[in-house]
Structure formats: C-alpha cells, structure tokens
Amino acid sequence: MERHGGRRTQAERDAITVEIGYALCSAAFAAAVLFGAVAGPAYVFGLPDGARGTLVGTGATVAAVVFIARVVHVLVRFQRSARPARTGTGHGTGTGTGG
C-alpha cells in the first residue's frame, strides 16, 4: 500500500481490514485442525490422564505456533504484494529504445 501524504485511501483501509480478517480466520482454522489432529486421539482412544495431558499440551503449543506463523505469513505476503511495482530495472539495458 502506497501512502499518500501519510494517509491511506478508503480502499486501502478496506483491503487491510479484509486481509487481517482473512489472516485471523485462516489461522484459527489451521490451528483448530492441528489441535484436533494432535489432541483428538487422546479422547477418541481413551488414553490415560498422563498421555492425554501431554497430547493436549502439545496440541495447544502446536496450535499457538501455527496460528502466529499463519497470521505473520499472510500479512507479510500482503504487504509485499501491495508495494508498487517498479517500472524499470535501472540497469541501462536499453530496452524499449528504437533503433
């Protein structure tokens, strides 16, 4: 997003809002799926309390890490894609000249 005099346009603010919402929702979904995959067997197979606690703790840790990683990944990708593209390479290759 290019800043115009320090202010963003309404379209830029809307795009940021949508991207943040997408990042949070997709991260929550990924974290929930991974938590279920790691901690789910503890409840499905009726494991002892020690094993259940370990799996639930591991699942919660993995879910938290995946949530944060997903949010950061989506927002960094959005920031990179929102930068204006350069029109020239600055290498003096002479492209676009007649001759």
Side-chain angles (χ1 to χ4, degrees), residues 4 7 13 15-16 28 35 38-39 42 45 78 81 83 89-90 93 96:
H4 303 286
R7 300 188 68 130
R13 290 192 306 264
I16 291 168
F35 178 79
V38 173
F45 299 119
F78 174 72
S81 70
R83 289 184 188 150
T89 60
T93 59

Side-chain angles (χ1 to χ4, degrees), residues 10-30:
Q10 184 63 42
E12 290 171 333
R13 290 192 306 264
D14 290 346
I16 291 168
T17 302
V18 168
E19 199 66 22
I20 290 170
Y22 170 73
L24 292 173
C25 289
S26 67
F29 179 76

Side-chain angles (χ1 to χ4, degrees), residues 41-43 45-56:
Y43 295 102
F45 299 119
L47 297 178
D49 289 338
R52 181 180 301 153
T54 301
L55 285 175
V56 170

Side-chain angles (χ1 to χ4, degrees), residues 31-99:
V33 167
L34 283 173
F35 178 79
V38 173
Y43 295 102
V44 172
F45 299 119
L47 297 178
D49 289 338
R52 181 180 301 153
T54 301
L55 285 175
V56 170
T58 302
T61 302
V62 168
V65 169
V66 166
F67 181 86
I68 292 169
R70 178 68 182 161
V71 169
V72 169
H73 172 75
V74 169
L75 295 180
V76 166
R77 186 186 67 201
F78 174 72
Q79 181 183 16
R80 287 183 184 159
S81 70
R83 289 184 188 150
R86 293 184 180 179
T87 56
T89 60
H91 293 273
T93 59
T95 57
T97 61

